[in-house]
Amino acid sequence: MNTIVLATGNAGKIRELSAMLKELQPGIAVLGLKDFPEIGDIPETGETFEDNARIKALAVARATGLVAVADD
């Protein structure tokens, strides 16, 4: 099974992405930040929403070793 981490604590967003991926590619698990409490808060120091999403996705990918996606 493949795993993607959505860099959010929003359970609704995790459910939405899980549902979309289930239709496109069954067998992909979507986890959230609550599954990795050791990561803690990720400072959003970017100048744009895109910058902050990139900061969060990279931090989560580095911390977990998994593919990570973020929005802001």
Side-chain angles (χ1 to χ4, degrees):
M1 179 179 294
N2 294 316
T3 303
I4 294 175
V5 182
L6 185 55
T8 185
N10 184 320
K13 287 184 180 182
I14 294 166
R15 280 192 302 275
E16 287 177 17
L17 183 59
S18 293
M20 285 188 282
L21 290 175
K22 185 177 182 179
E23 291 180 22
L24 298 171
Q25 185 67 43
I28 295 179
V30 180
L31 303 176
L33 290 179
K34 291 182 181 178
D35 295 296
F36 303 93
E38 66 277 8
I39 293 174
D41 289 331
I42 301 167
E44 297 181 19
T45 57
E47 294 184 17
T48 66
F49 291 131
E50 182 180 347
D51 289 342
N52 286 333
R54 185 179 300 110
I55 288 166
K56 289 192 295 188
L58 287 172
V60 171
R62 288 179 181 137
T64 64
L66 298 169
V67 172
V69 178
D71 74 337
D72 209 37

